[in-house]
Amino acid sequence: MKNKVLLNMGNQEEQLNALSDIRNMMDRSSRFISLSGLSGIFAGLTALIGAYIAHGELKKYIKGEYGYGVDADVEIEANLFKLGICVLLIAIAGGFLFTLRQSKKKNIRFWDKTAKNLLVNLAIPLAAGGFFIIFLLVNHPNSFGLIAPSCLLFYGLALINASKYTYSDIRFLGICEVILGLIAMFYIGYGLYFWAFGFGILHVFYGLIMYFKYERAK
Amino acid sequence: MNNPIEALNKIFDSRIRLGVMSILIVNDSVSFNELKQLLELTDGNLASHLNTLEQAEYLKVQKAFIGKKTNTTYIITDLGKLSFKAHLDALEKMIKGI
């Protein structure tokens, strides 16, 4: 009798191990799991610093300290555009490095089918949004107020789309960005604050959650 | 009381075959090299297990050429999906039952 109980317990352990193996294989083969929470934190901090600098520039513009010899509107636009590109590049580079580090730590290949799936599915809504915003600015003067809501909305949709190919937590972050983008439509002119909250604070917050959930413990 | 182990599929006794099926059920098609990397196996070892699964008609093999290299990909069949799901159900029942 005692032997039978022991046998059953051993068997149960074995079956539980088999189940955890199955789960591990399903995740590893279909989801990109090297995404690091630190990437999110870094991207968020970069966005916050960028937003702070942009805020300062806009203050100068409003005070009339812009446009010596050139059109002030053109100059602030060019400066903010350059700033935006810098923030984007720094955030992507940082995200890339932290994620590379994470994949080395987990001893899995960085570039595989899951990484490709994640990038392609992130890129489709993101590219659509990018073109939408560029065409909006080119064809509709005075549409600057719509930049922040459109950025948040398309970015949120991109995250929701990509969440099937990485940690599913990203899906909820995407939903938050979409909701934030919709709310921002009611507060045109305060776009920078919504932008800073969506790309800065939400990223830092989510990065911390991911870091403690998937990295710290292991 | 009937024996709960009876419902478990003999073909899935092997961890490797179980791993292959777990990967195939969540992916449209997976290449030999991808399977090899994910399961950390040698060519010969993986090939013999894939053969067993193919003979049971749990997976389909597709051979294609990328340039001059052959690229073999594997796709789960409907029978494979059903059997794998039945095996998981049996595992679950067993764990809950004990």
Side-chain angles (χ1 to χ4, degrees):
Chain A
M1 182 66 198
K2 201 180 171 191
N3 270 345
K4 202 181 170 194
V5 170
L6 278 176
L7 191 79
N8 276 344
M9 276 175 70
N11 216 331
Q12 187 184 18
E13 183 121 317
E14 195 180 301
Q15 306 310 341
L16 278 173
N17 280 340
L19 277 179
S20 92
D21 262 13
I22 292 169
R23 201 198 152 94
N24 184 18
M25 274 303 145
M26 282 177 159
D27 278 353
R28 258 180 88 166
S29 67
S30 65
R31 289 172 188 273
F32 184 73
I33 52 168
S34 306
L35 197 65
S36 170
L38 296 177
S39 303
I41 297 171
F42 182 80
L45 292 178
T46 313
L48 283 176
I49 294 167
Y52 181 74
I53 297 171
H55 190 246
E57 293 296 308
L58 282 170
K59 251 190 188 161
K60 273 198 228 160
Y61 169 74
I62 290 164
K63 274 190 199 159
E65 291 171 21
Y66 248 97
Y68 294 109
V70 279
D71 188 342
D73 288 348
V74 173
E75 202 188 357
I76 179 94
E77 227 174 84
N79 273 357
L80 289 182
F81 184 73
K82 272 186 253 168
L83 182 68
I85 297 289
C86 281
V87 168
L88 187 68
L89 289 180
I90 293 171
I92 289 175
F96 180 78
L97 282 179
F98 282 118
T99 297
L100 193 66
R101 203 182 120 222
Q102 182 70 3
S103 75
K104 280 212 180 112
K105 232 193 226 166
K106 286 194 172 177
N107 204 13
I108 46 183
R109 267 173 32 132
F110 176 71
W111 183 253
D112 61 2
K113 207 166 77 177
T114 60
K116 200 179 112 193
N117 277 340
L118 176 64
L119 277 187
V120 168
N121 286 287
L122 192 67
I124 294 168
L126 225 46
F131 284 118
F132 175 83
I133 292 166
I134 291 170
F135 298 158
L136 183 76
L137 291 177
V138 170
N139 295 320
H140 303 274
N142 301 321
S143 55
F144 304 110
L146 295 176
I147 296 177
S150 324
C151 279
L152 289 166
L153 208 57
F154 279 102
Y155 180 61
L157 292 174
L159 287 181
I160 293 171
N161 198 39
S163 68
K164 286 173 236 121
Y165 302 96
T166 181
Y167 293 117
S168 50
D169 309 60
I170 295 296
R171 188 182 166 80
F172 191 68
L173 175 62
I175 292 170
C176 292
E177 303 277 2
V178 168
I179 292 171
L180 197 64
L182 290 176
I183 296 173
M185 288 299 281
F186 290 92
Y187 298 93
I188 300 297
Y190 297 92
L192 192 60
Y193 298 105
F194 281 94
W195 195 93
F197 187 79
F199 287 99
I201 292 169
L202 280 184
H203 272 152
V204 172
F205 183 65
Y206 240 77
L208 284 172
I209 291 179
M210 302 270 291
Y211 182 71
F212 282 107
K213 193 167 168 189
Y214 298 108
E215 288 161 60
R216 188 69 194 286
K218 285 157 199 171
Chain B
M1 198 181 124
N2 55 353
N3 185 357
I5 299 176
E6 257 174 70
L8 292 176
N9 194 330
K10 272 269 188 289
I11 291 180
F12 299 138
D13 272 355
S14 142
R15 277 291 173 81
I16 295 169
R17 292 197 283 269
L18 203 59
V20 170
M21 294 303 278
S22 319
I23 293 167
L24 289 182
I25 204 158
V26 288
N27 289 284
D28 294 338
S29 80
V30 184
S31 75
F32 187 86
N33 283 332
E34 282 166 344
L35 283 174
K36 204 173 85 176
Q37 269 162 15
L38 282 163
L39 295 163
E40 293 167 356
L41 293 171
T42 58
D43 282 18
N45 199 357
L46 178 59
S48 76
H49 285 292
L50 286 171
N51 213 6
T52 313
L53 288 171
E54 194 192 349
Q55 268 162 19
E57 294 182 1
Y58 286 177
L59 53 81
K60 273 187 300 197
V61 185
Q62 281 189 335
K63 287 199 171 155
F65 282 92
I66 296 177
K68 278 184 180 173
K69 271 188 184 167
T70 50
N71 182 40
T72 314
T73 54
Y74 299 87
I75 299 165
I76 195 167
T77 60
D78 288 339
L79 177 67
K81 273 183 203 165
L82 280 176
S83 314
F84 187 66
K85 277 180 184 149
H87 183 77
L88 288 187
D89 286 343
L91 277 180
E92 199 186 357
K93 253 184 215 149
M94 237 184 103
I95 288 164
K96 277 185 186 161
I98 288 170

mmCIF file of all heavy atoms in Angstrom, chain A residues 120-141:
data_model
loop_
_atom_site.group_PDB
_atom_site.id
_atom_site.type_symbol
_atom_site.label_atom_id
_atom_site.label_comp_id
_atom_site.label_asym_id
_atom_site.label_seq_id
_atom_site.Cartn_x
_atom_site.Cartn_y
_atom_site.Cartn_z
ATOM 1 N N VAL A 120 7.818 42.258 -37.095
ATOM 2 C CA VAL A 120 6.922 42.487 -38.234
ATOM 3 C C VAL A 120 5.547 42.933 -37.749
ATOM 4 O O VAL A 120 4.975 43.907 -38.251
ATOM 5 C CB VAL A 120 6.798 41.207 -39.096
ATOM 6 C CG1 VAL A 120 5.661 41.330 -40.095
ATOM 7 C CG2 VAL A 120 8.108 40.938 -39.812
ATOM 8 N N ASN A 121 5.040 42.256 -36.728
ATOM 9 C CA ASN A 121 3.693 42.576 -36.265
ATOM 10 C C ASN A 121 3.620 43.881 -35.496
ATOM 11 O O ASN A 121 2.567 44.506 -35.418
ATOM 12 C CB ASN A 121 3.128 41.428 -35.441
ATOM 13 C CG ASN A 121 2.752 40.267 -36.330
ATOM 14 O OD1 ASN A 121 1.766 40.340 -37.040
ATOM 15 N ND2 ASN A 121 3.571 39.232 -36.346
ATOM 16 N N LEU A 122 4.757 44.292 -34.926
ATOM 17 C CA LEU A 122 4.831 45.599 -34.287
ATOM 18 C C LEU A 122 4.914 46.686 -35.357
ATOM 19 O O LEU A 122 4.305 47.745 -35.256
ATOM 20 C CB LEU A 122 6.071 45.645 -33.389
ATOM 21 C CG LEU A 122 6.220 46.782 -32.399
ATOM 22 C CD1 LEU A 122 5.152 46.672 -31.321
ATOM 23 C CD2 LEU A 122 7.593 46.751 -31.758
ATOM 24 N N ALA A 123 5.662 46.374 -36.424
ATOM 25 C CA ALA A 123 5.977 47.386 -37.435
ATOM 26 C C ALA A 123 4.771 47.766 -38.300
ATOM 27 O O ALA A 123 4.663 48.917 -38.717
ATOM 28 C CB ALA A 123 7.118 46.893 -38.317
ATOM 29 N N ILE A 124 3.859 46.825 -38.545
ATOM 30 C CA ILE A 124 2.761 47.121 -39.479
ATOM 31 C C ILE A 124 1.877 48.281 -38.988
ATOM 32 O O ILE A 124 1.761 49.294 -39.663
ATOM 33 C CB ILE A 124 1.937 45.848 -39.791
ATOM 34 C CG1 ILE A 124 2.809 44.847 -40.554
ATOM 35 C CG2 ILE A 124 0.704 46.185 -40.613
ATOM 36 C CD1 ILE A 124 2.210 43.459 -40.670
ATOM 37 N N PRO A 125 1.278 48.194 -37.791
ATOM 38 C CA PRO A 125 0.480 49.331 -37.333
ATOM 39 C C PRO A 125 1.331 50.585 -37.094
ATOM 40 O O PRO A 125 0.870 51.705 -37.321
ATOM 41 C CB PRO A 125 -0.123 48.857 -36.001
ATOM 42 C CG PRO A 125 0.051 47.395 -35.990
ATOM 43 C CD PRO A 125 1.255 47.098 -36.806
ATOM 44 N N LEU A 126 2.584 50.374 -36.673
ATOM 45 C CA LEU A 126 3.457 51.506 -36.386
ATOM 46 C C LEU A 126 3.770 52.290 -37.666
ATOM 47 O O LEU A 126 3.722 53.524 -37.680
ATOM 48 C CB LEU A 126 4.756 50.983 -35.768
ATOM 49 C CG LEU A 126 5.301 51.711 -34.550
ATOM 50 C CD1 LEU A 126 4.234 51.994 -33.528
ATOM 51 C CD2 LEU A 126 6.430 50.899 -33.918
ATOM 52 N N ALA A 127 4.067 51.575 -38.746
ATOM 53 C CA ALA A 127 4.365 52.234 -40.019
ATOM 54 C C ALA A 127 3.115 52.943 -40.539
ATOM 55 O O ALA A 127 3.182 54.080 -41.007
ATOM 56 C CB ALA A 127 4.862 51.212 -41.040
ATOM 57 N N ALA A 128 1.965 52.273 -40.417
ATOM 58 C CA ALA A 128 0.712 52.900 -40.846
ATOM 59 C C ALA A 128 0.511 54.204 -40.088
ATOM 60 O O ALA A 128 0.163 55.240 -40.671
ATOM 61 C CB ALA A 128 -0.456 51.950 -40.609
ATOM 62 N N GLY A 129 0.763 54.183 -38.772
ATOM 63 C CA GLY A 129 0.606 55.372 -37.947
ATOM 64 C C GLY A 129 1.595 56.454 -38.337
ATOM 65 O O GLY A 129 1.235 57.639 -38.421
ATOM 66 N N GLY A 130 2.841 56.059 -38.595
ATOM 67 C CA GLY A 130 3.871 57.019 -38.987
ATOM 68 C C GLY A 130 3.480 57.758 -40.254
ATOM 69 O O GLY A 130 3.532 58.986 -40.319
ATOM 70 N N PHE A 131 3.039 56.998 -41.277
ATOM 71 C CA PHE A 131 2.627 57.622 -42.532
ATOM 72 C C PHE A 131 1.396 58.490 -42.315
ATOM 73 O O PHE A 131 1.291 59.590 -42.862
ATOM 74 C CB PHE A 131 2.348 56.555 -43.600
ATOM 75 C CG PHE A 131 3.598 55.971 -44.171
ATOM 76 C CD1 PHE A 131 3.894 54.625 -44.028
ATOM 77 C CD2 PHE A 131 4.510 56.791 -44.838
ATOM 78 C CE1 PHE A 131 5.065 54.087 -44.538
ATOM 79 C CE2 PHE A 131 5.687 56.269 -45.353
ATOM 80 C CZ PHE A 131 5.956 54.918 -45.207
ATOM 81 N N PHE A 132 0.470 58.008 -41.497
ATOM 82 C CA PHE A 132 -0.749 58.769 -41.211
ATOM 83 C C PHE A 132 -0.387 60.152 -40.670
ATOM 84 O O PHE A 132 -0.904 61.173 -41.117
ATOM 85 C CB PHE A 132 -1.606 58.000 -40.197
ATOM 86 C CG PHE A 132 -2.831 58.748 -39.754
ATOM 87 C CD1 PHE A 132 -3.986 58.735 -40.513
ATOM 88 C CD2 PHE A 132 -2.816 59.478 -38.566
ATOM 89 C CE1 PHE A 132 -5.109 59.438 -40.112
ATOM 90 C CE2 PHE A 132 -3.931 60.171 -38.156
ATOM 91 C CZ PHE A 132 -5.081 60.153 -38.923
ATOM 92 N N ILE A 133 0.548 60.175 -39.703
ATOM 93 C CA ILE A 133 0.906 61.440 -39.066
ATOM 94 C C ILE A 133 1.638 62.364 -40.045
ATOM 95 O O ILE A 133 1.350 63.566 -40.121
ATOM 96 C CB ILE A 133 1.755 61.178 -37.798
ATOM 97 C CG1 ILE A 133 0.874 60.511 -36.737
ATOM 98 C CG2 ILE A 133 2.336 62.470 -37.253
ATOM 99 C CD1 ILE A 133 1.630 59.907 -35.577
ATOM 100 N N ILE A 134 2.546 61.788 -40.845
ATOM 101 C CA ILE A 134 3.273 62.611 -41.826
ATOM 102 C C ILE A 134 2.289 63.213 -42.836
ATOM 103 O O ILE A 134 2.325 64.415 -43.117
ATOM 104 C CB ILE A 134 4.347 61.770 -42.548
ATOM 105 C CG1 ILE A 134 5.461 61.405 -41.559
ATOM 106 C CG2 ILE A 134 4.937 62.540 -43.728
ATOM 107 C CD1 ILE A 134 6.444 60.390 -42.081
ATOM 108 N N PHE A 135 1.367 62.386 -43.357
ATOM 109 C CA PHE A 135 0.410 62.885 -44.354
ATOM 110 C C PHE A 135 -0.536 63.905 -43.733
ATOM 111 O O PHE A 135 -0.946 64.871 -44.383
ATOM 112 C CB PHE A 135 -0.383 61.724 -44.969
ATOM 113 C CG PHE A 135 0.477 60.738 -45.715
ATOM 114 C CD1 PHE A 135 0.044 59.444 -45.945
ATOM 115 C CD2 PHE A 135 1.739 61.114 -46.172
ATOM 116 C CE1 PHE A 135 0.845 58.537 -46.625
ATOM 117 C CE2 PHE A 135 2.556 60.207 -46.845
ATOM 118 C CZ PHE A 135 2.105 58.919 -47.071
ATOM 119 N N LEU A 136 -0.866 63.691 -42.478
ATOM 120 C CA LEU A 136 -1.733 64.632 -41.758
ATOM 121 C C LEU A 136 -1.074 66.007 -41.720
ATOM 122 O O LEU A 136 -1.687 67.030 -42.037
ATOM 123 C CB LEU A 136 -1.962 64.104 -40.333
ATOM 124 C CG LEU A 136 -2.899 64.900 -39.431
ATOM 125 C CD1 LEU A 136 -4.345 64.638 -39.835
ATOM 126 C CD2 LEU A 136 -2.701 64.508 -37.971
ATOM 127 N N LEU A 137 0.209 66.021 -41.343
ATOM 128 C CA LEU A 137 0.927 67.290 -41.208
ATOM 129 C C LEU A 137 1.116 67.968 -42.561
ATOM 130 O O LEU A 137 1.026 69.193 -42.671
ATOM 131 C CB LEU A 137 2.292 67.059 -40.548
ATOM 132 C CG LEU A 137 2.232 66.646 -39.079
ATOM 133 C CD1 LEU A 137 3.628 66.373 -38.552
ATOM 134 C CD2 LEU A 137 1.548 67.721 -38.251
ATOM 135 N N VAL A 138 1.372 67.150 -43.602
ATOM 136 C CA VAL A 138 1.618 67.715 -44.932
ATOM 137 C C VAL A 138 0.333 68.306 -45.519
ATOM 138 O O VAL A 138 0.342 69.389 -46.084
ATOM 139 C CB VAL A 138 2.195 66.619 -45.866
ATOM 140 C CG1 VAL A 138 2.238 67.102 -47.310
ATOM 141 C CG2 VAL A 138 3.592 66.221 -45.413
ATOM 142 N N ASN A 139 -0.770 67.594 -45.351
ATOM 143 C CA ASN A 139 -2.006 67.986 -46.038
ATOM 144 C C ASN A 139 -2.936 68.871 -45.222
ATOM 145 O O ASN A 139 -3.824 69.492 -45.770
ATOM 146 C CB ASN A 139 -2.768 66.733 -46.482
ATOM 147 C CG ASN A 139 -1.986 65.958 -47.524
ATOM 148 O OD1 ASN A 139 -1.380 66.543 -48.410
ATOM 149 N ND2 ASN A 139 -1.960 64.649 -47.394
ATOM 150 N N HIS A 140 -2.756 68.880 -43.904
ATOM 151 C CA HIS A 140 -3.678 69.657 -43.078
ATOM 152 C C HIS A 140 -2.904 70.582 -42.149
ATOM 153 O O HIS A 140 -2.418 70.135 -41.113
ATOM 154 C CB HIS A 140 -4.580 68.735 -42.255
ATOM 155 C CG HIS A 140 -5.367 67.788 -43.098
ATOM 156 N ND1 HIS A 140 -6.579 68.125 -43.653
ATOM 157 C CD2 HIS A 140 -5.097 66.530 -43.516
ATOM 158 C CE1 HIS A 140 -7.021 67.103 -44.368
ATOM 159 N NE2 HIS A 140 -6.142 66.122 -44.300
ATOM 160 N N PRO A 141 -2.762 71.841 -42.522
ATOM 161 C CA PRO A 141 -2.056 72.787 -41.651
ATOM 162 C C PRO A 141 -2.796 72.897 -40.318
ATOM 163 O O PRO A 141 -4.012 72.685 -40.262
ATOM 164 C CB PRO A 141 -2.106 74.109 -42.414
ATOM 165 C CG PRO A 141 -2.785 73.847 -43.704
ATOM 166 C CD PRO A 141 -3.326 72.475 -43.718
#
